[in-house]
Amino acid sequence: MKDTTRRIFEKENQAEVSNNIDKRANQKSFTQLVSLTLLNRQPKIEFKSIDIKQQPQQQNYLTQRNPNVSSLHYRPEVKQKTTVSTTEQIFSPITVRQTTSISQCNQDNLNKEQKNPQNKLVYLYGDNILINYQAQDSIQKCEFLKKHTISNNLRAKMVDWMVEVLTSYKCKDQTFFMAVRLMDTFLHLTTKQHVPQDLHLVGVTCMFIASKFEEIYPVKLQIVHEKIAHKKLSKDEIKDKECQIAQALDFNFVGTTISEIITMTLQLINQYQKLHQLVIYLAKIVLYDYELISQYNYSSLSAACIIIGCNLLCQESSDEIISQTLQVLNVDKDETVELSNKVLNLAKNFDKLFPNLENLKKFNKNSTLDIIKLQK
């Protein structure tokens, strides 16, 4: 009797459970099985259940194209090349020059330039590079020593010492020109008044920064401390001054030098091999003179140095080279000729103006005596 009652109870229990399962199956929302290979391109996982009542149906743009939505895979439109007129003023207040005649002159030598990759790069991008140099040279010149107690002669001694130091450590000329530019720019932008005793630390730090910026293997801080500063300046003093210079320049060490403008101009007029050595030497002489550096920009000084070099070494074709130089650098002819006379007088009287500064002649092949002989 007990077994019969137990069997009846189990049958009723199973019927109730099955009825509940059927009711839950009817109440459960309808589901749709979607292949995941259409959703995320993963063939290892076969199916995924998506509840239509709980989630809105989403359009799969990878498999179905919605006419109202642009395709995810498209071919970009070919942009037409646009040319920027070289006569527009971009960054610099200096009026950008017309270079058509120079370009036509260089186009005749295109076959030769194609053999030399560097000449080909100058032919293709030289104008734009020089425009960028002149844009960076657009900073108004001023008397940057006026608010300091540093004299013109003391600054010239620092420039002469930079020639000795950087040449002894086989640094490039560009490192020297950048070190002088950093020193002058810092003295112009700093709000602190500097005394003559500060110039040694400023000059050493500017050479240290320039070597790291220009040289492949820069001068190490240990060498600057022991060999260059002769342990009179500590490493912390040099690093602190480096931070002060960076803050004064707003961490903008990029700028142009008279060497860069001269080099690019001579390459554009195809006179680099003939004039570069002499013109760079004249540019170094110019850096000694505070009055010239504080009154004229690098473009005008570069044109003046090139004109002197043309009159000394290229007398037969000097008129053509000078006209090309004036056109490339976009400087006034009368003002540049007057400035070139000042630079030439400086070169002739260099020994009288700076009697105890011998490093420029010592560490350069050219000398002021050679310039005087050539001029005679």
Side-chain angles (χ1 to χ4, degrees):
M1 185 69 179
K2 290 183 180 180
D3 294 337
T4 307
T5 307
R6 185 178 179 181
R7 291 175 184 174
I8 295 172
F9 178 76
E10 288 178 355
K11 289 182 179 180
E12 290 178 355
N13 233 1
Q14 291 176 0
E16 185 177 358
V17 171
S18 62
N19 292 334
N20 292 335
I21 293 175
D22 295 338
K23 290 180 181 180
R24 283 197 297 269
N26 294 331
Q27 293 175 358
K28 188 176 180 180
S29 59
F30 177 73
T31 59
Q32 180 181 5
L33 296 178
V34 180
S35 175
L36 278 185
T37 57
L38 301 178
L39 293 176
N40 54 8
R41 304 292 182 183
Q42 297 180 1
K44 294 182 180 180
I45 304 174
E46 292 299 332
F47 296 99
K48 180 179 178 181
S49 177
I50 300 177
D51 196 340
I52 296 178
K53 288 187 177 182
Q54 295 179 0
Q55 297 182 0
Q57 185 175 2
Q58 297 180 355
Q59 181 75 22
N60 188 356
Y61 297 110
L62 295 177
T63 55
Q64 299 180 5
R65 175 72 180 274
N66 189 347
N68 297 325
V69 179
S70 58
S71 175
L72 294 176
H73 306 282
Y74 64 94
R75 183 183 296 275
E77 297 180 357
V78 180
K79 296 182 179 180
Q80 296 180 354
K81 295 183 179 180
T82 58
T83 57
V84 180
S85 175
T86 57
T87 59
E88 294 181 359
Q89 182 175 348
I90 303 175
F91 300 104
S92 174
I94 301 174
T95 306
V96 181
R97 65 201 176 284
Q98 297 273 356
T99 57
T100 53
S101 62
I102 303 298
S103 299
Q104 291 176 358
C105 179
N106 290 338
Q107 191 173 3
D108 298 336
N109 300 324
L110 180 59
N111 295 330
K112 297 180 181 180
E113 291 175 348
Q114 286 178 346
K115 298 179 181 180
N116 191 342
Q118 184 177 1
N119 292 338
K120 185 177 180 180
L121 290 175
V122 172
Y123 171 78
L124 295 175
Y125 307 109
D127 289 337
N128 294 329
I129 294 174
L130 188 56
I131 289 172
N132 186 38
Y133 286 163
Q134 290 186 302
Q136 296 174 355
D137 188 36
S138 63
I139 301 175
Q140 184 178 0
K141 292 294 178 181
C142 61
E143 297 180 3
F144 48 86
L145 294 181
K146 188 176 182 179
K147 58 184 177 182
H148 307 287
T149 58
I150 300 172
S151 63
N152 302 349
N153 292 330
L154 185 59
R155 178 191 170 276
K157 289 181 181 179
M158 174 55 65
V159 173
D160 189 68
W161 185 58
M162 286 181 174
V163 172
E164 179 184 6
V165 171
L166 295 176
T167 307
S168 300
Y169 286 94
K170 299 181 180 180
C171 295
K172 299 182 294 185
D173 285 340
Q174 182 57 29
T175 305
F176 163 73
F177 283 100
M178 182 179 180
V180 177
R181 177 180 66 83
L182 289 176
M183 180 179 66
D184 295 342
T185 307
F186 170 70
L187 294 175
H188 167 54
L189 296 177
T190 183
T191 57
K192 178 183 176 182
Q193 184 181 9
H194 285 73
V195 296
Q197 292 78 8
D198 299 331
L199 189 60
H200 185 209
L201 178 58
V202 173
V204 169
T205 309
C206 288
M207 287 189 289
F208 179 52
I209 296 173
S211 68
K212 291 194 293 184
F213 198 89
E214 293 290 345
E215 299 294 331
I216 298 176
Y217 301 102
V219 182
K220 296 182 179 181
L221 181 59
Q222 185 70 23
I223 296 177
V224 175
H225 166 64
E226 294 181 356
K227 304 296 183 181
I228 297 177
H230 301 288
K231 297 184 179 180
K232 294 181 180 180
L233 301 174
S234 64
K235 296 180 181 179
D236 293 335
E237 287 178 332
I238 297 172
K239 290 189 288 185
D240 291 342
K241 181 57 69 174
E242 184 180 12
C243 293
Q244 294 177 14
I245 294 174
Q247 291 176 358
L249 273 62
D250 196 17
F251 296 87
N252 185 16
F253 296 105
V254 178
T256 188
T257 62
I258 186 173
S259 172
E260 292 175 334
I261 296 178
I262 287 174
T263 301
M264 186 55 60
T265 302
L266 292 177
Q267 288 178 340
L268 287 173
I269 63 177
N270 297 323
Q271 299 296 328
Y272 179 83
Q273 295 181 351
K274 292 182 181 179
L275 300 177
H276 183 260
Q277 187 175 354
L278 178 60
V279 175
I280 288 295
Y281 180 75
L282 290 170
K284 291 180 179 179
I285 293 177
V286 168
L287 292 185
Y288 281 74
D289 192 274
Y290 170 71
E291 294 182 358
L292 292 178
I293 289 296
S294 61
Q295 294 179 4
Y296 299 95
N297 56 23
Y298 288 150
S299 297
S300 301
L301 294 171
S302 300
C305 294
I306 293 174
I307 288 176
I308 297 173
C310 292
N311 291 330
L312 294 177
L313 300 180
C314 304
Q315 296 180 358
E316 297 179 357
S317 58
S318 61
D319 294 336
E320 181 182 358
I321 295 175
I322 291 173
S323 62
Q324 290 180 353
T325 302
L326 297 175
Q327 181 181 357
V328 168
L329 291 175
N330 191 30
V331 292
D332 184 73
K333 181 179 180 180
D334 297 333
E335 294 180 358
T336 306
V337 171
E338 182 181 357
L339 179 58
S340 64
N341 292 329
K342 293 182 180 180
V343 175
L344 183 60
N345 292 330
L346 173 64
K348 287 181 178 180
N349 301 319
F350 185 82
D351 294 332
K352 296 180 181 179
L353 296 173
F354 309 103
N356 298 322
L357 307 183
E358 302 290 337
N359 289 325
L360 187 61
K361 292 187 293 183
K362 180 180 178 181
F363 293 99
N364 287 272
K365 295 181 179 180
N366 291 313
S367 66
T368 53
L369 295 176
D370 297 333
I371 295 176
I372 295 173
K373 291 178 181 179
L374 287 171
Q375 182 66 15
K376 291 180 178 180

